[in-house]
Amino acid sequence: GGRMEVLEEKEEEEQREEEELKALEARDNLQDMETKVSVEEVYLPRDAPDFDWSSIDKSQLPSSYKTNSLKEKKLLHVADRFLQQYTHLCPDRKPLFLHPINECGVQKFVSTTVRPTLLPYTELYHWDGCASFVSDYLTMEPLKSPVTPPSSLYSPTTILKHQRGNCFDFSMLLCSLLIGAGYDAYCVHGYATREMCSLDETLELCPLLGKPQEVPKEGMKKKTNKYRIKPPPDLQSKFELQQEAKKKAETEAAQKNKEGEGEKVMEVEEPKPDPLCGLRVHAWVLVLSGKREVPENFFINPFTGKSHSTMDEHFLGIESVWNHRNYWVNMQDCRKGCKDLIFDLGDAIRWEVMLSRSNRPLQLLPGAKKEKEVSVRDKDDLAKEEEDMGFDMPPSWAAPIQISPREFETRCCQGKKVILYKKAKLERWAAYLNGDGLVKRLTVYVDLTRTEVVEVREWFKNREDMLDVREVNKETQLTTEYFSPGHLFGLKAHTYTSLEPETDRTMEFYNEVRADGLQKRVESATKMTEYFKGREDFLHTRHVEFGKRGKKVHLAGTRTDVSSRPIVLIKECFSRNPEKPADEDVAERIFVITEDMIHLTYHLKDRYITASKKDFFKAAEGDRKRSEIVMTPEMCFTYQAGSSEKDKKLLPLYKLLQELMEEEKQLKQHVRQSEAEVLNILKTRENEEGAVKLLVSVYDTERRQQYEAMVGEDELAGQEEQALDYLAPFLIRIGRGEKMTKEQALRVRDDCLADFKHRLINRANIIQARSEKVVEELQKKEQWFQGNQNGLSAEEEDAFLAQCSETMFHSHILALRLNRAKQMAPQKYLALEEKLCKDPRLAEHLGHA
């Protein structure tokens, strides 16, 4: 029996040794593969040129970048102890990302690199604004090795200055902005897919084309109402639905298998297998719920600025998280990615915290003695470790994050950024970088190779013509333009194939700013339909049909030479007017001009299925030449709903016919005005596109100065002279002659100087009068105070002294203004006199060049 036990023990030892050897071989093979792939992927070509970080200027950096304080040194000592314990307890896990070196080669703990900052920009007060700014402002650099974290971590200020960095740099900057904005944000060191780590979005659908992502918005969760009405039960068979879905899937799969091209496309769309799946290091940001009314936890990919669920399949594992206060190590199983992770950082079993203020003993190493057998010296060491683990995190060593308004507006590096998506390309520019105000362009392609264009969308900003978006469909050659409120004609949208007149087009307007309430106008070569809203006459639609011209007219000439199209028919539709009876309220009227007919249809009365109608047949051409129209029963046909008798009275019908004929003339004028307006809009749009002008805010002084320098001093001087012509009121007195005599020139100059001197004297008199009034009020208050000094309380005395001090302050200010006016008046007078002498309109007679 003893021999059998010895043999079994030997076999177990041999099996154990074989398993250990296999594990070592697998680990060596994995390391070889990691190094091989890392060497191959280090030098991936990027859009941006390589940058030498060793060449940055370090002389101007603060002393906190080059040295460590006593508290920082103590923190590094605690971090080393924590790392030793971690590697002993978890030998199979990779080393933690704790204290990389900064730009000056000094070790800094990662939590002290986070610099919480709230910048004075409204957009950066929300997480999506911060994320989009960081993703746009910085240029992505890949990690030197895709399977190991970087050896250095620079400050957010240096990253902002050079506008480039890796995923850890992106995350540190974004986390600093989010914490400053009040979010519970953390930097995450973990693992992700190859596409996410390399910023490869060529297989992703462009967010401007697909449905908007379900982003956790700020706001409280919706409370379920237990008293709501229950929906009706679903009586449809689920088994039948499943069977139908299976049949449909089988037929679709069969069709795809028959099409060879479809198979090729599917092969191209599927990503290639990644030998380093689950090993690629990535850094991102975790935002926990609670603060800023965030309803649920979510991730932010700093490269793209997009939010993701914590169960997203692109995130394959987490090593650790940290913020500006502490550092946590993930102790949960990540074999299924981040799907099953619980982000309760207070749970000591799932998350091992580095700095703990609690007095609980540290986890003992395996093989250590029990508490009773620990020596006094060991107890002192444990107590010292507990003390070290309980102190607060030192403040950040990084300089304050600052972003100028111009840098915030420029955003992208060199003002331009290009992102490739699945069958799409997105281009972004900084404001005012393009002369036409273009800030964003989305190009949609037919295939994955991006060769054939299907659609182009362009976004504009700061345009004087208020153009916002332009969409061009290359297949239908249809162009749609969208405008902001403020266009000259109230234009809201314009859809067309050509800017030539009398072609198919649709114009939408802001009906609130138009006197006629026009909301939409649809035009073709033979028709024009206008839609109205909010009119007092309840008109909502006007439809016009045109005939062919008698002679061919070439549209290549000026548009004013084009003869008008003959009007065939005008149809108007009205909404219900509640103040009129239904059988007297016109719902539709049609003027058939070619046949001299007018059709009236009234609104339906309650409980009636037919409407009242009236048809008028105008007089013949011979009768129309006479001054008066003779009304006959044959000229009108009436139908009154609910009555079988015909209306035999001709006088009301005669008056109605006269009103309709007069309105027909006015309608023809409205139609011609609409045609003229269309031509005017087309001509204006051509001029606006030919010479695009951008608006510059009055508060943007720097850009306005640049704009003025580009325009030119001569043109600006002419504009200023035209806007501020100080001689205009005096030149009117002598008339508008081409030339002035010597006496007229002298009189204009003397009148201008006398008027200016009079205005200066009036201003000084007003200031003097106000000063005397203030002094008089102060004297009265002093006399009242001296007379009632004994009877005043302490509060009344303080109030009186405050009033006196305020009055004395106003008196002092008025005195200063008066002295300044007296000192500046002679200088202003002489300056104006010199300016008048240099005026070209007076210089000829005043003896100056």
Side-chain angles (χ1 to χ4, degrees):
R3 293 180 181 178
M4 292 294 293
E5 292 178 358
V6 171
L7 292 174
E8 289 177 357
E9 290 179 358
K10 287 183 179 180
E11 290 177 358
E12 290 178 359
E13 289 180 359
E14 291 176 357
Q15 290 178 358
R16 194 179 302 164
E17 290 178 358
E18 289 179 1
E19 291 178 356
E20 290 179 356
L21 289 173
K22 289 180 180 179
L24 289 174
E25 290 178 359
R27 187 178 301 174
D28 293 339
N29 294 334
L30 181 62
Q31 290 178 355
D32 294 340
M33 185 174 62
E34 289 177 2
T35 53
K36 182 179 179 181
V37 178
S38 64
V39 170
E40 292 176 356
E41 297 192 5
V42 166
Y43 305 104
L44 283 174
R46 303 298 300 171
D47 295 337
D50 294 335
F51 181 76
D52 185 11
W53 285 100
S54 60
S55 63
I56 62 176
D57 185 16
K58 306 171 186 176
S59 59
Q60 303 297 328
L61 295 177
S63 58
S64 61
Y65 284 60
K66 303 172 184 177
T67 58
N68 280 323
S69 63
L70 294 176
K71 203 168 184 180
E72 287 179 314
K73 291 179 181 178
K74 187 177 181 181
L75 177 63
L76 293 175
H77 179 66
V78 173
D80 289 334
R81 286 186 181 182
F82 183 79
L83 184 60
Q84 290 176 4
Q85 185 184 19
Y86 171 77
T87 52
H88 190 83
L89 292 174
C90 307
D92 296 335
R93 294 184 62 170
K94 292 189 176 181
L96 297 174
F97 187 67
L98 283 173
H99 40 60
I101 60 174
N102 65 353
E103 49 264 52
C104 296
V106 180
Q107 277 190 341
K108 296 289 184 178
F109 192 69
V110 289
S111 295
T112 59
T113 309
V114 180
R115 180 69 188 236
T117 306
L118 178 61
L119 293 172
Y121 302 105
T122 307
E123 184 179 348
L124 299 185
Y125 187 63
H126 301 280
W127 72 264
D128 50 354
C130 296
S132 62
F133 171 76
V134 172
S135 63
D136 290 341
Y137 194 78
L138 301 182
T139 301
M140 176 263 187
E141 284 187 350
L143 295 173
K144 292 183 179 180
S145 174
V147 294
T148 55
S151 59
S152 60
L153 184 65
Y154 294 170
S155 65
T157 52
T158 301
I159 297 301
L160 277 174
K161 181 179 179 181
H162 299 285
Q163 289 188 253
R164 58 196 311 115
N166 54 42
C167 55
F168 286 86
D169 300 322
F170 274 69
S171 300
M172 296 296 279
L173 175 59
L174 178 57
C175 190
S176 301
L177 296 179
L178 291 175
I179 296 175
Y183 288 93
D184 191 11
Y186 302 83
C187 293
V188 181
H189 164 215
Y191 306 94
T193 58
R194 175 180 55 194
E195 291 76 20
M196 182 167 286
C197 295
S198 59
L199 190 54
D200 183 7
E201 298 181 272
T202 54
L203 296 180
E204 297 289 335
L205 187 66
C206 181
L208 297 176
L209 291 174
K211 296 180 180 179
Q213 287 184 335
E214 294 183 358
V215 180
K217 297 181 180 179
E218 298 173 8
M220 299 301 292
K221 296 181 180 178
K222 294 183 179 179
K223 297 181 180 180
T224 57
N225 185 9
K226 62 181 180 179
Y227 299 108
R228 69 180 185 276
I229 300 174
K230 295 182 179 181
D234 188 7
L235 302 177
Q236 194 171 5
S237 174
K238 295 182 180 179
F239 177 75
E240 291 180 356
L241 292 176
Q242 291 176 358
Q243 295 298 322
E244 290 178 2
K246 286 182 180 180
K247 289 181 181 179
K248 187 176 181 181
E250 290 175 359
T251 54
E252 290 180 356
Q255 290 178 358
K256 288 181 180 179
N257 291 332
K258 290 179 181 179
E259 298 175 359
E261 296 179 358
E263 291 180 358
K264 294 180 181 179
V265 171
M266 291 298 294
E267 290 177 0
V268 173
E269 289 183 1
E270 291 180 357
K272 297 179 181 179
D274 184 13
L276 292 181
C277 182
L279 300 175
R280 294 182 183 274
V281 175
H282 190 52
W284 63 91
V285 174
L286 165 67
V287 181
L288 296 183
S289 61
K291 290 187 177 180
R292 291 296 304 271
E293 299 181 354
V294 176
E296 58 183 6
N297 307 332
F298 65 96
F299 293 146
I300 301 178
N301 183 13
F303 282 162
T304 61
K306 299 177 184 177
S307 66
H308 300 265
S309 171
T310 54
M311 295 185 290
D312 196 315
E313 296 179 352
H314 290 87
F315 301 95
L316 304 178
I318 292 179
E319 289 283 353
S320 59
V321 300
W322 66 89
N323 62 0
H324 63 300
R325 298 185 184 276
N326 216 328
Y327 188 95
W328 294 265
V329 180
N330 178 32
M331 307 303 294
Q332 303 173 72
D333 188 6
C334 292
R335 282 180 291 184
K336 295 183 179 179
C338 301
K339 294 180 180 179
D340 301 330
L341 296 186
I342 298 175
F343 295 95
D344 181 11
L345 301 182
D347 190 346
I349 298 176
R350 295 184 174 91
W351 297 90
E352 186 67 34
V353 64
M354 198 188 82
L355 300 181
S356 176
R357 294 188 178 184
S358 62
N359 294 325
R360 63 180 179 83
L362 295 175
Q363 187 177 359
L364 297 177
L365 300 177
K369 297 181 180 180
K370 295 181 179 180
E371 187 176 357
K372 294 181 180 179
E373 299 177 359
V374 176
S375 63
V376 178
R377 186 175 180 181
D378 293 336
K379 289 182 180 180
D380 295 340
D381 293 341
L382 286 174
K384 187 177 180 182
E385 284 190 17
E386 290 180 13
E387 182 182 357
D388 292 342
M389 301 284 282
F391 77 100
D392 294 332
M393 185 73 66
S396 178
W397 56 271
I401 298 175
Q402 296 179 352
I403 301 173
S404 66
R406 180 55 59 87
E407 292 172 344
F408 181 74
E409 183 182 339
T410 304
R411 288 294 187 96
C412 311
C413 186
Q414 297 179 354
K416 183 179 179 180
K417 185 176 183 179
V418 180
I419 306 174
L420 298 178
Y421 291 102
K422 180 181 177 181
K423 300 181 182 180
K425 180 176 70 172
L426 181 62
E427 302 169 274
R428 293 179 180 175
W429 291 271
Y432 299 101
L433 185 65
N434 295 321
D436 57 352
L438 182 64
V439 294
K440 188 164 57 177
R441 178 194 293 148
L442 175 64
T443 308
V444 184
Y445 300 90
V446 175
D447 51 359
L448 295 173
T449 57
R450 303 182 191 88
T451 54
E452 185 179 351
V453 179
V454 178
E455 184 182 1
V456 178
R457 300 182 191 176
E458 296 176 329
W459 286 262
F460 302 88
K461 274 187 178 181
N462 307 310
R463 284 185 55 136
E464 195 178 50
D465 58 3
M466 311 308 292
L467 179 63
D468 274 345
V469 184
R470 179 187 290 127
E471 298 178 357
V472 181
N473 193 320
K474 297 295 183 179
E475 294 180 345
T476 61
Q477 299 300 321
L478 204 63
T479 302
T480 305
E481 297 175 336
Y482 299 93
F483 299 83
S484 296
H487 192 267
L488 179 61
F489 297 95
L491 199 59
K492 183 178 183 180
H494 185 198
T495 304
Y496 60 92
T497 55
S498 172
L499 286 177
E500 289 295 322
E502 300 182 15
T503 55
D504 294 347
R505 72 184 67 258
T506 301
M507 294 182 178
E508 295 182 22
F509 302 87
Y510 292 95
N511 61 287
E512 300 88 355
V513 300
R514 291 185 62 99
D516 57 356
L518 181 61
Q519 188 178 22
K520 185 179 179 182
R521 179 184 288 132
V522 182
E523 186 188 16
S524 64
T526 59
K527 298 179 181 179
M528 182 174 66
T529 306
E530 296 177 321
Y531 302 89
F532 302 90
K533 186 178 180 181
R535 286 178 63 108
E536 294 181 356
D537 57 358
F538 297 92
L539 175 67
H540 64 82
T541 307
R542 179 185 293 149
H543 177 73
V544 183
E545 294 184 4
F546 300 97
K548 296 182 179 180
R549 293 183 176 87
K551 296 181 180 180
K552 294 183 179 180
V553 179
H554 297 285
L555 300 179
T558 59
R559 290 171 179 170
T560 54
D561 297 336
V562 179
S563 61
S564 300
R565 294 172 289 180
I567 301 174
V568 176
L569 179 144
I570 301 176
K571 176 182 176 181
E572 288 188 323
C573 300
F574 298 86
S575 301
R576 181 74 175 90
N577 185 0
E579 297 180 357
K580 292 182 179 181
D583 54 356
E584 296 180 8
D585 187 15
V586 178
E588 179 182 283
R589 62 183 185 183
I590 303 174
F591 297 88
V592 186
I593 298 172
T594 55
E595 299 180 4
D596 293 333
M597 295 175 59
I598 302 175
H599 302 279
L600 296 182
T601 304
Y602 294 87
H603 285 278
L604 281 172
K605 293 192 293 185
D606 294 339
R607 300 180 182 180
Y608 277 77
I609 61 174
T610 57
S612 300
K613 294 183 179 181
K614 290 181 182 177
D615 295 339
F616 292 92
F617 304 92
K618 292 185 289 185
E621 188 71 23
D623 298 334
R624 225 183 304 174
K625 294 180 180 179
R626 294 181 296 180
S627 59
E628 296 182 359
I629 300 175
V630 179
M631 187 72 180
T632 60
E634 291 78 14
M635 295 175 60
C636 178
F637 171 78
T638 62
Y639 166 71
Q640 190 70 24
S643 176
S644 60
E645 297 181 359
K646 296 183 178 180
D647 191 0
K648 299 180 180 180
K649 297 180 181 179
L650 296 180
L651 181 59
L653 297 176
Y654 174 72
K655 292 181 178 180
L656 180 58
L657 178 59
Q658 283 187 327
E659 293 176 2
L660 292 174
M661 293 178 65
E662 186 64 30
E663 289 183 3
E664 182 180 337
K665 294 179 182 178
Q666 296 178 1
L667 281 177
K668 290 180 179 179
Q669 295 179 0
H670 289 316
V671 172
R672 299 307 179 193
Q673 290 174 2
S674 297
E675 290 183 295
E677 185 183 37
V678 170
L679 296 178
N680 199 2
I681 290 175
L682 295 179
K683 185 175 181 181
T684 304
R685 288 296 301 131
E686 280 188 356
N687 296 336
E688 290 171 347
E689 290 297 330
V692 178
K693 295 181 181 179
L694 301 181
L695 298 173
V696 182
S697 173
V698 294
Y699 302 105
D700 194 351
T701 56
E702 182 179 354
R703 182 167 281 113
R704 287 187 70 86
Q705 290 175 359
Q706 294 178 358
Y707 176 72
E708 291 172 359
M710 291 173 60
V711 172
E713 296 181 358
D714 298 336
E715 185 176 350
L716 288 176
Q719 292 177 357
E720 291 178 359
E721 182 179 356
Q722 185 177 5
L724 301 173
D725 190 359
Y726 46 84
L727 288 181
F730 306 98
L731 293 174
I732 294 176
R733 301 175 184 174
I734 63 172
R736 293 187 173 272
E738 295 182 357
K739 291 185 178 181
M740 289 187 294
T741 62
K742 183 178 181 180
E743 290 78 9
Q744 289 176 337
L746 290 172
R747 188 173 66 183
V748 169
R749 186 194 66 173
D750 295 341
D751 290 346
C752 182
L753 293 175
D755 182 75
F756 180 69
K757 184 177 181 180
H758 182 66
R759 285 192 289 110
L760 291 177
I761 293 173
N762 288 341
R763 185 180 300 175
N765 292 336
I766 292 172
I767 296 174
Q768 182 70 33
R770 291 180 180 176
S771 178
E772 291 175 356
K773 184 178 180 181
V774 170
V775 172
E776 184 179 354
E777 290 179 357
L778 181 61
Q779 291 176 356
K780 289 181 180 179
K781 289 181 180 180
E782 288 179 352
Q783 292 176 2
W784 177 83
F785 178 73
Q786 291 176 1
N788 302 321
Q789 188 173 5
N790 297 329
L792 291 177
S793 62
E795 295 179 356
E796 293 176 346
E797 187 175 350
D798 293 340
F800 172 75
L801 292 176
Q803 291 178 0
C804 290
S805 61
E806 185 178 357
T807 306
M808 292 175 66
F809 174 76
H810 288 304
S811 176
H812 179 66
I813 294 298
L814 290 172
L816 289 177
R817 288 182 178 178
L818 182 61
N819 293 332
R820 186 180 177 186
K822 291 180 180 178
Q823 293 175 2
M824 294 297 293
Q827 299 177 4
K828 289 185 178 180
Y829 187 82
L830 293 174
L832 181 61
E833 186 176 9
E834 183 179 358
K835 196 171 183 180
L836 285 173
C837 292
K838 292 181 179 179
D839 194 289
R841 291 170 291 186
L842 307 178
E844 181 182 355
H845 304 289
L846 297 179
H848 294 273

